[in-house]
Amino acid sequence: MDTAHASASALAPARAPAHDLTPSRASRTPTRPAAGDVHVWFVRPPRSGSVPRSPGADAGTAADSGFTAPDSGLSVAELRRAASFARAGDGDVYATAHAALRRLLGGYLGRPPAGLTFVREPCPGCSGPHGRPAVVQTDDAPTLHFSLAHSRGLIAVAVAPRVIGVDVERLPSTGTVEACARALHTRERAELAAVPPEERQAYFGRLWTRKEAYLKALGTGLSRHPRIDYLGADLRRRPARWAVLDLPAGPEHTAAVAVDGARPDRVTVRWLPAHRPGDGPAAPDAAYGSTTDRSPR
């Protein structure tokens, strides 16, 4: 769902240890995150209508997405999916998100973006082929896990050497908060009700992104009712064996990441320029600004 939120003051989890955010430089070539690290990449999707449509293409065809396989790395299935959206802007966001995912994973794995193959892991609930997405690796290196999310105005890709989930949401309307609050855990609803009215949109956004990041990491998504698990301010009551962290995502969005196991030693957040048709090949050696959160142990 496209809920989101946030003011700058809403970026730190309530009653959580303060993060020591220090500026750093991103590597010119992505290197695999170390055992205790998490990499998060944010991408601004193109403005609606800024991706040129293919002249003469029939609506609903791969060509009509405005992206082509050679310059985006997208598969035929992804191109068709991008072209299937009723609103062209939604298709552009989908295509930009999946092109960014391919560029990043291709850099980490040392493979062409178009050469990557994606599969679904078994669902933890029914063992069907619709669990967490995974990339097929051709070497003996440790598995590289990833998660992709996008909301209005922002795309997020998270990468780690362990199971991970990420979510990003735009600031929700007051009506969305009121309608969706009933889907929260009982304690979360009580916390939300105790927040001053002017802060509830941001607070709800933080709750919801933690919840979706966690459910994506589990591999169930929203097929597991969001009311079951508590992801509120009391860290002691959150799911055991999982670390769920808020991410700095700017004044109009909130974001969160969930990883299997202990809290990460380091979370590095970078901004990746969007790659669109006509831009030419993506520059693998571009240096991107980044922020490193040296998570307290």
Side-chain angles (χ1 to χ4, degrees), residues 102-130:
R102 284 181 172 272
R103 291 170 65 201
L104 288 168
L105 293 181
Y108 282 113
L109 299 173
R111 294 165 57 191
L116 300 177
T117 300
F118 294 95
V119 296
R120 286 280 184 172
E121 296 179 353
C123 170
C126 67
S127 299
H130 47 259

Side-chain angles (χ1 to χ4, degrees), residues 63-218:
D64 192 52
S65 68
F67 286 77
T68 57
D71 67 4
S72 68
L74 296 176
S75 68
V76 172
E78 288 167 330
L79 291 168
R80 286 175 177 163
R81 171 66 173 152
S84 71
F85 286 87
R87 295 189 304 175
D90 292 340
D92 294 344
V93 172
Y94 172 90
T96 301
H98 286 261
L101 176 65
R102 284 181 172 272
R103 291 170 65 201
L104 288 168
L105 293 181
Y108 282 113
L109 299 173
R111 294 165 57 191
L116 300 177
T117 300
F118 294 95
V119 296
R120 286 280 184 172
E121 296 179 353
C123 170
C126 67
S127 299
H130 47 259
R132 288 183 297 266
V135 61
V136 176
Q137 297 184 209
T138 57
D139 55 23
D140 295 327
T143 301
L144 187 69
H145 297 271
F146 70 89
S147 184
L148 171 68
H150 51 85
S151 184
R152 289 170 294 167
L154 194 60
I155 296 162
V157 177
V159 180
R162 50 178 160 158
V163 169
I164 190 168
V166 72
D167 190 50
V168 60
E169 302 286 351
R170 190 174 177 85
L171 182 69
S173 66
T174 301
T176 297
V177 173
E178 293 175 352
C180 296
R182 69 192 68 177
L184 297 175
H185 186 280
T186 303
R187 291 182 181 275
E188 294 170 342
R189 292 202 303 271
E191 290 177 12
L192 182 65
V195 170
E198 65 274 14
E199 298 178 16
R200 283 179 190 158
Q201 289 164 275
Y203 198 91
F204 175 86
R206 293 197 299 278
L207 282 171
W208 196 263
T209 51
R210 291 176 204 149
K211 196 170 291 285
E212 285 221 39
Y214 170 68
L215 294 176
K216 289 170 73 173
L218 278 183

